[in-house]
């Protein structure tokens, strides 16, 4: 009861004679910032309305007229665009017996109201983008229609105001429609409430609806339909207060007064500014943004808008880094370790943004053992070339990549181990490298010695041959050795016999045919296969071959046994996987991963034919 008395006192004060009809505050320039969107961070957008002291929308602003502050720090505008998206306008008609009163021409007040709205919609251009709705007592709601649909629905509304009791439920339904958030992109909402006077017991409901409209930031304009002598009573004052508190305008209509066109309060609502800027927020938390506008020398600031952001540094990831890089000479004559190949290794990375806000990159870097070896400051940021030409010894190294985004946030990836294996030159590489010079020198030396011998021999007189020597050298005159006697052997002290290998390997192609390279003799007690020169004697550059893949050893009896060294691709003999040491036979084909060989004995075993065994009868 006490709250109702206070409300009545307020409306009585507002109804004092001489009060202005406009409910807009007559202060200075007003700036409103709303509709902030941070989903495309760091790009942030918002809508801005600027009204002058008379309530007119201020047009023609440029980025130079607007100062944006983010967390108190100025940020330049990327764009400022003036838009005309139209307005969302809801007309709510709360009829009552007062609408049935006729003028001197027998026209009811409801017909006059209908005609005013019809004339207004008929004058709208075809390009008008207003979103129109109609709510009335005793009729179904028309929601989000164009001007033609609105006129059609309004013409079909033919109630008998004398029999329809007024209801403020029409205003509640109108606010529900106006509360639809941004139905066509940037539209602002307004309600025209055309009503007869409320009863005293409806003041509390009207006060609640006023508070809701203020909360929704929906302007409610009011046409008060009543007799002229009722414009100062409490019911009329309560409707005036609805318009004043929501920022709308009210009009008193008893019949002869002209009704204003809704265009007077819709025109300012059809405009808005769309602004965008690039955020500099680099930390997770709550942040604020506001604008200050200089409109023709009148400076005004908007209330700050708050928004929450989760910001995390970019996450760089190495893409399929090599586990091993094998540096070897490009040919048999190259022994300079710095000339080994490859001289560079391509490294790729990708960058993820765990906060869900992709941002431009400004720098990426490649680190080896904690030292920066490559850097990108322009696109493409995802590729590096690692210079490995200076690695002359084998070793293990740690690779990491770093990414820095446009906010200055950076992060280094976890380390990945990469082994650089340098294939050292074989013994005697100096002789091979200088083989041509050595051969040439030997030829010259031999030629010189021969020349000296021939020269010295030419100076001596040849001795007189005796006939006896000829007979001794004649094979026909030589004695024939008897039985059991050995012929005289020639001296072989200058000959050196090389021990032949008992077996050898023939490299095979994928089709099973032998390659053109010479066979590999098995002269030692053991041969190891793998792709790591530090662990294998027979190095195979094939991705299916493990670092130490298999072992071929010669036993005391001269036989050869092949064993797998727990490789991933396995070792196979005659297309059967080797699970235990396997003795090789002449002609066996075995695979080291995908590399195949044929095992051959120097002295193949004799082929035995079928034997006939006589049958005793």
């Amino acid at each position: 009861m006490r709250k109702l008395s206070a409300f009545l006192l307020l409306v009585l004060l507002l109804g004092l004679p001489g009060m202005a009809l406009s409910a807009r505050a007559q202060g200075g320039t007003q700036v409103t910032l709303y509709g902030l969107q941070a989903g495309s961070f760091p790009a942030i957008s918002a809508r801005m309305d600027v009204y002058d002291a008379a309530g007119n929308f201020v047009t023609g602003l440029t980025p130079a007229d607007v100062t944006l502050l983010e967390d108190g720090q100025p940020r330049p505008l990327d764009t400022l665009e003036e838009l005309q998206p139209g307005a969302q306008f809801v007309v709510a008609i709360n009829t009552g017996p007062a609408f049935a009163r006729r003028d001197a021409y027998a026209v009811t007040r409801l017909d006059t109201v209908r005609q005013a709205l019809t004339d207004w919609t008929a004058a709208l251009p075809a390009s008008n983008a207003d979103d129109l709705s109609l709510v009335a007592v005793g009729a179904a709601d028309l929601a989000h229609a164009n001007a033609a649909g609105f006129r059609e629905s309004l013409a079909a509304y033919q109630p008998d105001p004398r029999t329809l009791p007024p209801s403020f439920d029409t205003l509640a339904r109108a606010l529900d429609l106006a509360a639809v958030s941004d139905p066509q992109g940037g539209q602002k909402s307004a309600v025209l409430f055309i009503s007869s006077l409320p009863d005293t017991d409806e003041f509390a409901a009207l006060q609640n609806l006023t508070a809701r409209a203020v909360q929704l930031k929906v302007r409610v304009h009011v046409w008060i339909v009543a007799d002229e002598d009722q414009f100062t009573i409490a019911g009329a004052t309560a409707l005036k207060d609805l318009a004043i508190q929501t920022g709308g305008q009210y009009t008193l209509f008893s019949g002869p007064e002209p009704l204003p066109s809704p265009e007077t309060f819709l025109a300012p609502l059809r405009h808005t500014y769309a602004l965008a800027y690039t955020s500099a927020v680099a930390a997770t938390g709550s942040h604020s943004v506001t604008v200050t506008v200089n409109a023709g020398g009148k400076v005004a600031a908007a209330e700050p808008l708050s928004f929450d952001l989760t910001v995390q540094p970019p996450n760089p990831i190495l893409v399929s880094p090599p586990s091993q890089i094998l540096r070897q000479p490009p040919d048999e004559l190259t022994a300079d370790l710095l000339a080994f190949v490859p001289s560079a290794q391509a490294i790729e990375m990708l960058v993820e943004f765990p906060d869900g806000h992709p941002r431009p990159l400004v720098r990426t870097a490649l680190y080896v053992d904690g030292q920066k070896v490559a850097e990108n400051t322009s696109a493409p940021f995802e590729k590096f070339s690692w210079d490995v030409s200076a690695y002359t010894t084998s070793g293990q190294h740690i690779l990491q990549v770093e990414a820095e985004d446009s906010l200055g946030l950076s992060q280094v990836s976890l380390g990945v181990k990469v082994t650089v294996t340098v294939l050292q030159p074989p013994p005697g590489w100096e002789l091979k490298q200088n083989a041509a010079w050595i051969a040439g020198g030997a030829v010259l030396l031999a030629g010189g010695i021969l020349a000296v011998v021939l020269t010295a021999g030419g100076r001596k007189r040849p001795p007189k041959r005796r006939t006896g020597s000829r007979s001794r050298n004649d094979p026909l005159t030589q004695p024939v050795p008897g039985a059991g006697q050995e012929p005289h052997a020639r001296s072989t002290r200058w000959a050196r016999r090389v021990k032949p290998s008992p077996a050898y390997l023939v490299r095979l192609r994928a089709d099973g045919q032998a390659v053109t390279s010479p066979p590999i003799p098995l002269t030692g007690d053991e041969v190891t296969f793998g792709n790591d020169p530090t662990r294998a004697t027979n190095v195979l550059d094939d991705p299916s071959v493990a670092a130490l893949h298999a072992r071929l050893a010669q036993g005391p009896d001269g036989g050869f046994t092949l064993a797998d060294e727990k490789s991933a691709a396995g070792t196979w003999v005659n297309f059967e996987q080797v699970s235990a040491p396997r003795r090789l036979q002449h002609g066996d084909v075995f695979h080291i991963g995908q590399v195949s060989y044929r095992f051959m004995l120097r002295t193949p075993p004799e082929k035995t034919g079928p034997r006939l065994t006589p049958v005793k009868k």
Side-chain angles (χ1 to χ4, degrees), residues 488-553:
H488 178 71
R490 294 178 178 268
S491 174
T492 59
R493 59 175 179 168
W494 301 109
R496 180 175 299 174
R497 299 179 62 85
V498 179
K499 181 181 178 181
S501 60
Y504 56 92
L505 302 178
V506 178
R507 180 77 176 265
L508 303 179
R509 297 196 302 261
D511 59 0
Q513 299 299 318
V515 298
T516 57
S517 60
I520 303 172
L522 300 178
T523 57
D525 295 334
E526 184 180 75
V527 177
T528 52
F529 301 87
N531 64 17
D532 187 350
T534 63
R535 305 179 64 185
T537 57
N538 190 9
V539 179
L540 304 176
D541 187 11
D542 190 276
S544 66
V545 178
L548 178 59
H549 197 109
R551 190 183 305 271
L552 180 60

Side-chain angles (χ1 to χ4, degrees), residues 17-211:
M19 177 181 174
L21 297 182
S22 176
R24 173 173 292 278
Q26 301 299 315
T29 303
Q30 296 181 358
V31 180
T32 304
L33 195 63
Y34 64 98
L36 187 141
Q37 299 291 331
S40 298
F41 176 85
I44 294 182
S45 61
R47 297 297 173 91
M48 180 182 71
D49 294 338
V50 183
Y51 294 97
D52 61 16
N56 300 314
F57 190 86
V58 178
T59 62
L61 294 177
T62 67
D65 301 320
V66 181
T67 301
L68 185 141
L69 299 177
E70 182 183 67
D71 293 337
Q73 299 298 318
R75 296 294 302 167
L77 288 180
D78 295 334
T79 58
L80 179 66
E81 183 180 5
E82 185 176 345
L83 305 176
Q84 296 188 39
Q88 186 184 19
F89 188 46
V90 184
V91 177
I93 303 178
N94 185 26
T95 58
F99 281 76
R101 188 71 60 90
R102 299 177 183 270
D103 60 11
Y105 301 96
V107 177
T108 65
R109 292 169 177 169
L110 178 59
D111 291 335
T112 303
V113 168
R114 183 188 296 110
Q115 189 61 47
L117 294 175
T118 300
D119 294 343
W120 164 68
T121 56
L124 293 175
S127 59
N128 179 265
D130 290 343
D131 181 271
L132 305 178
S133 300
L134 177 63
V135 178
V137 175
D141 295 347
L142 172 70
H144 311 301
N146 56 18
F150 182 87
R151 284 197 304 272
E152 182 180 349
S153 180
L154 185 64
Y157 182 60
Q158 299 290 338
D160 184 357
R162 297 170 298 178
T163 61
L164 286 178
S167 173
F168 281 91
D169 180 60
T170 54
L171 179 58
R173 286 158 33 211
L175 291 177
D176 290 339
L177 289 172
V180 177
S181 177
D182 206 10
Q184 295 184 12
Q187 288 187 337
K188 293 181 283 293
S189 299
V191 172
L192 173 59
F193 186 47
I194 306 172
S195 177
S196 55
L197 299 181
D199 294 331
T200 304
D201 57 357
E202 295 177 310
F203 286 173
L206 183 58
Q207 187 178 18
N208 292 334
L209 291 172
T210 302

Side-chain angles (χ1 to χ4, degrees), residues 249-295:
Q249 302 175 10
Y250 64 83
T251 298
L252 305 176
F253 177 66
S254 62
E257 301 90 354
L259 290 170
S261 171
E263 198 67 17
T264 58
F265 44 79
L266 281 184
L269 300 182
R270 293 194 180 104
H271 296 261
T272 189
Y273 286 98
L275 60 85
Y277 75 99
T278 300
S279 174
V281 171
T284 298
S286 181
H287 306 274
S288 66
V289 61
T290 186
V291 291
T292 300
V293 177
N294 186 341

